[in-house]
Amino acid sequence: MTSEPEHTTTAVMRSVPKPEAILRDTDWASLEHLWGPAGDVPASLAALRATDPVVHARVVDKDLNCLRDSNGVSPATVPAALFIAAIIPEPSTEVEGTYYSWDGPVRGERRSLLRVELLEWLASLVYDTDDELYAKLRRRGEVSPEIEAMRALRPLFFQAVAAFLDDATPAVRHAAVMTAIFLSEHSDLAGHRPALAIRARDLLVTCERPRYYRLCAISGLRAWGEPYEDLMRPTDVLPPRPTEQGGSPWGDAVSIDYQQPGCRDAPPF
């Protein structure tokens, strides 16, 4: 994972590597994140396997921003995303903490499980490399090896997320469904869309907030030609995606309600 040729190997992985192997075998010192050398990333990732909710919140709300700031994808983002996918089932992610909330017109805090936060982080990253924005980047000649690697890894990420699609905890289940909807854009995952459509409709029935969960479900159902209008509410209005006329595919086209710390265009979900 230290160079462009190694990125291409991610496309043929059959399962997510063990988290300790990712930390050990990745040459982090040779990689960069969006703010500079990535030598600080392993310690932040390893802290997610501990049980301190204060540390978890610091890593999720602050330390990981260097991997996705302004919707960019860095060389260090690829192994970090694999690590996060690998630890989602671990007991440490069942710890509840207080996290920054970016849902609704008033920003603040929310109580949440680390597992939910990591699923949301992965969903945001997948959204940042989806087909629509990828096509714009290709037209601009701005597709990086890291973006290609993240897109190739979508079936692998789906393996990690699928285990929680029917989780007994609604917050986990809803976060997993949202993440899986974005991942299922990959052609190899098309066969999962009918089952995801059932879960997306269930989400619209049972999930009040966050609002971006509902918008994600509606977007997926609409893209797949599945019914959703009967479950819509007046607040279920999809914000526009950035236009190429704005000068960047990561422009300021969405309202503040949908913005995440460190991002100019957070997923409308």
Side-chain angles (χ1 to χ4, degrees):
M1 300 177 192
T2 61
S3 64
E4 181 173 342
E6 288 192 23
H7 279 316
T8 63
T9 65
T10 60
V12 296
M13 287 182 181
R14 294 294 178 261
S15 61
V16 178
K18 298 293 185 182
E20 54 271 15
I22 297 171
L23 292 183
R24 181 189 66 240
D25 298 339
T26 301
D27 186 3
W28 298 97
S30 71
L31 299 178
E32 289 195 352
H33 51 55
L34 298 171
W35 303 342
D40 55 340
V41 172
S44 295
L45 294 176
L48 294 172
R49 305 184 79 186
T51 58
D52 188 340
V54 175
V55 173
H56 291 168
R58 186 205 71 217
V59 173
V60 171
D61 291 342
K62 181 179 179 182
D63 294 357
L64 295 185
N65 286 343
C66 66
L67 299 171
R68 284 194 58 249
D69 190 38
S70 298
N71 293 341
V73 178
S74 71
T77 305
V78 179
L82 282 169
F83 178 90
I84 287 174
I87 67 167
I88 288 175
E90 294 191 352
S92 66
T93 69
E94 298 176 0
V95 174
E96 185 179 59
T98 301
Y99 294 88
Y100 185 96
S101 175
W102 47 286
D103 177 50
V106 180
R107 299 185 180 187
E109 297 179 337
R110 68 170 179 177
R111 296 290 292 174
S112 179
L113 300 178
L114 176 60
R115 182 169 291 161
V116 171
E117 298 301 308
L118 297 184
L119 286 165
E120 287 197 2
W121 187 90
L122 190 58
S124 298
L125 184 59
V126 174
Y127 177 86
D128 290 344
T129 55
D130 75 355
D131 286 356
E132 181 181 347
L133 296 182
Y134 177 73
K136 293 179 182 179
L137 289 175
R138 286 195 64 182
R139 288 193 290 270
R140 296 167 181 267
E142 298 175 358
V143 176
S144 68
E146 294 75 46
I147 289 177
E148 296 281 16
M150 287 301 308
R151 289 172 55 79
L153 284 168
R154 287 179 290 179
L156 207 61
F157 293 140
F158 190 89
Q159 291 180 24
V161 172
F164 301 99
L165 290 174
D166 298 309
D167 197 88
T169 302
V172 174
R173 182 172 69 251
H174 293 155
V177 169
M178 177 185 68
T179 308
I181 289 172
F182 286 126
L183 290 166
S184 69
E185 188 179 56
H186 193 286
S187 58
D188 288 356
L189 300 173
H192 295 279
R193 293 170 192 168
L196 284 175
I198 295 173
R199 293 180 172 93
R201 285 184 58 83
D202 178 72
L203 185 151
L204 290 176
V205 172
T206 60
C207 182
E208 297 285 340
R209 301 190 77 90
R211 178 165 41 180
Y212 47 87
Y213 281 30
R214 297 185 55 80
L215 300 184
C216 169
I218 291 169
S219 294
L221 290 167
R222 184 170 61 180
W224 304 330
E226 299 283 352
Y228 64 89
E229 293 88 349
D230 57 315
L231 300 177
M232 285 192 69
R233 300 172 184 174
T235 55
D236 292 334
V237 179
L238 295 173
R241 291 294 289 265
T243 64
E244 293 185 88
Q245 288 71 30
S248 168
W250 321 122
D252 299 311
V254 295
S255 76
I256 195 171
D257 287 11
Y258 303 101
Q259 291 184 357
Q260 180 182 20
C263 299
R264 289 182 295 160
D265 167 36
F269 295 153

